[in-house]
Amino acid sequence: MIAFLQILSTFSCLILSPPDTLRIISVPLDHREPRGKQITISFTHFQPYQDQKETILLLDDPLDNYFQQSMDLRDLADEFNLVQIKGRHQSEVLLTTIHSSGQTDWSKAYQLLNVDQHARDLEKVRKALPGDRPVHLVGFSGAAAYLHYYLSRFPEKVSSLISFNPLLFDLQKNLNFRYPAPCPEAQANRFWFAYLWHAHAESLCPDTGGDGDDFPFYAFLQWGFLVPGLWENREEDVALKVRLFEHSYDLLANSPSEQPPSIAAAWMKQESQPIWKELEQASFSVHGVDYDKGRLYEGKVLIVGAVHDKLLSRYCYDVLAEFYPQSSLMLLRDGHALGKLRATGLQRELIRSFLLEDNQEKIGVYQSLREAGLLYDKRDRYNL
């Protein structure tokens, strides 16, 4: 239990804390109508922008923020311009437009908050930065999935990508990888999803403790109040529902009807039911990553995947790496939230060594991860 609570204290997503310089930029309410109504989105520089530095872009994701707190990346600001994009889901004008009839227009909510709109916002921010230069992208989970989509649309604008556990459920569905078996206590609700998010050992729900690294679901229910955001009332969070719709669509669309959905997929569809109903009544296009575009990308990609990930099969990371000609895959003995990695504090050195192509520092990071018992050798696949 103590180890689990220590991991809880490190839960975080790849954003800057605290922000330093807030900037505002106008973007189209709907990028399909670039000359139409405009909204404002915000982004922050941790330090004043310096032309001689390369730039790292970070992007907020509503689902990531539901389960995570902030990771302090301020040390990277000495060598990089760090730019954090807050996202259009915070725009009051956009939310007013969605509720203009007095009720939530869920079709409009998806059309204005989908992954394509966010990716085009990201490109607007990138172009607004001095020099209009390619940037580095760093993302975790849902935000990383956004960045893979952005890379498929604007590959020439990306210097490199570091992707931590990208939540790309369509890979899992299309490759027919199995879902984790549920505990007897599991139900289609946010607590089970949160457990899958934060669990970081091989076994899901042991009756007795093993190596002390796992945490049974029934105990997670008892201590779940420690997870940031888990007990908050988010029923009216439109952006979160759109994100859950996109993830559940990736898992469930065009799936065999006789195949029951996973409990996580069932919860995501349940939470985004109003958008699913709109889709059934008047079918609309749903955006997804064009993975084949990755084969044409000439920059470097680092994919960091957790072998004990309970949300996405770790084999998805193997397949994803194959789409990029200059990709590196690092597998860690960790869960989706990467709590063990974050507890070591090595994520900063990992990011820095990759972006600067510092081979000596890479060797040091690998050695430190190995000494911490986190580095997973694919040749050792039967000894997780």
Side-chain angles (χ1 to χ4, degrees), residues 29 37-40 62 87-106 108-110 112-113 118 236-242:
L29 172 67
K37 183 185 291 187
Q38 302 288 299
I39 62 173
T40 59
R88 60 176 37 226
H89 55 278
Q90 296 186 352
S91 167
E92 291 296 330
V93 173
L94 186 149
L95 294 176
T96 298
T97 301
I98 291 173
H99 297 108
S100 60
S101 67
Q103 296 182 328
T104 304
D105 185 331
W106 289 105
K108 188 176 293 184
Y110 174 73
L112 297 180
L113 287 167
H118 282 86
E236 299 304 318
D237 192 329
V238 175
L240 178 62
K241 290 185 182 298
V242 170

Side-chain angles (χ1 to χ4, degrees), residues 102-210:
Q103 296 182 328
T104 304
D105 185 331
W106 289 105
S107 177
K108 188 176 293 184
Y110 174 73
Q111 297 303 330
L112 297 180
L113 287 167
N114 63 53
V115 62
D116 187 69
Q117 299 281 6
H118 282 86
R120 293 177 183 275
D121 286 348
L122 191 154
E123 173 58 8
K124 286 284 188 180
V125 171
R126 189 206 62 79
K127 289 183 68 175
L129 299 174
D132 190 11
R133 297 176 298 178
V135 295
H136 301 287
L137 305 176
V138 180
F140 162 78
S141 191
Y146 273 143
L147 298 180
H148 281 276
Y149 181 88
Y150 173 84
L151 179 57
S152 72
R153 294 299 305 264
F154 305 100
E156 71 283 359
K157 308 302 182 183
V158 181
S159 295
S160 67
L161 167 65
I162 302 180
S163 179
F164 291 88
N165 281 350
L167 203 57
L168 296 165
F169 282 120
D170 53 341
L171 283 177
Q172 181 150 290
K173 179 193 68 178
N174 294 339
L175 296 168
N176 199 30
F177 291 142
R178 66 179 180 84
Y179 303 123
C183 300
E185 306 96 333
Q187 299 179 16
N189 58 38
R190 57 181 170 162
F191 302 106
W192 173 245
F193 195 92
Y195 180 64
L196 296 179
W197 188 286
H198 293 307
H200 53 78
E202 180 180 3
S203 178
L204 269 178
C205 296
D207 293 329
T208 59

Side-chain angles (χ1 to χ4, degrees), residues 8 10-15 61-71 140-141 194 197-198 227-230 336-339 342:
L8 271 177
T10 67
F11 286 160
S12 53
C13 63
L14 291 171
I15 64 175
D61 177 77
L63 182 60
D64 296 345
N65 292 344
Y66 186 49
F67 292 117
Q68 307 287 108
Q69 289 178 319
S70 61
M71 175 185 290
F140 162 78
S141 191
W197 188 286
H198 293 307
V227 178
L230 187 58
H336 185 78
L338 293 173
R342 298 166 195 254

Side-chain angles (χ1 to χ4, degrees), residues 20-34:
D20 184 56
T21 305
L22 180 68
R23 303 293 175 89
I24 304 295
I25 186 175
S26 294
V27 299
L29 172 67
D30 188 341
H31 283 278
R32 298 171 303 173
E33 301 176 4

Side-chain angles (χ1 to χ4, degrees), residues 148 171 175 290-297 301 303 316-327:
H148 281 276
L171 283 177
L175 296 168
D290 186 347
Y291 296 101
D292 288 334
K293 293 286 183 67
R295 303 185 190 277
L296 305 177
Y297 178 60
V301 175
I303 298 169
C316 292
Y317 305 130
D318 291 271
V319 173
L320 182 61
E322 294 297 323
F323 284 101
Y324 300 103
Q326 297 195 67
S327 68

Side-chain angles (χ1 to χ4, degrees), residues 162-295:
I162 302 180
S163 179
F164 291 88
N165 281 350
L167 203 57
L168 296 165
F169 282 120
D170 53 341
L171 283 177
Q172 181 150 290
K173 179 193 68 178
N174 294 339
L175 296 168
N176 199 30
F177 291 142
R178 66 179 180 84
Y179 303 123
C183 300
E185 306 96 333
Q187 299 179 16
N189 58 38
R190 57 181 170 162
F191 302 106
W192 173 245
F193 195 92
Y195 180 64
L196 296 179
W197 188 286
H198 293 307
H200 53 78
E202 180 180 3
S203 178
L204 269 178
C205 296
D207 293 329
T208 59
D211 59 5
D213 270 344
D214 211 341
F215 201 70
F217 179 54
Y218 70 85
F220 183 86
L221 289 177
Q222 180 179 358
W223 292 95
F225 68 90
L226 294 171
V227 178
L230 187 58
W231 296 88
E232 296 176 9
N233 183 0
R234 301 291 292 273
E235 292 182 359
E236 299 304 318
D237 192 329
V238 175
L240 178 62
K241 290 185 182 298
V242 170
R243 204 68 183 109
L244 291 172
F245 167 76
E246 290 179 314
H247 286 311
S248 58
Y249 183 90
D250 284 344
L251 273 175
L252 300 174
N254 303 316
S255 294
S257 57
E258 66 274 9
Q259 179 179 332
S262 67
I263 292 182
W267 174 72
M268 290 190 292
K269 183 174 183 179
Q270 174 183 299
E271 288 298 302
S272 58
Q273 192 59 227
I275 310 177
W276 276 96
K277 288 181 178 178
E278 289 290 336
L279 181 65
E280 293 167 0
Q281 293 173 5
S283 181
F284 50 79
S285 297
V286 178
H287 299 277
V289 177
D290 186 347
Y291 296 101
D292 288 334
K293 293 286 183 67
R295 303 185 190 277

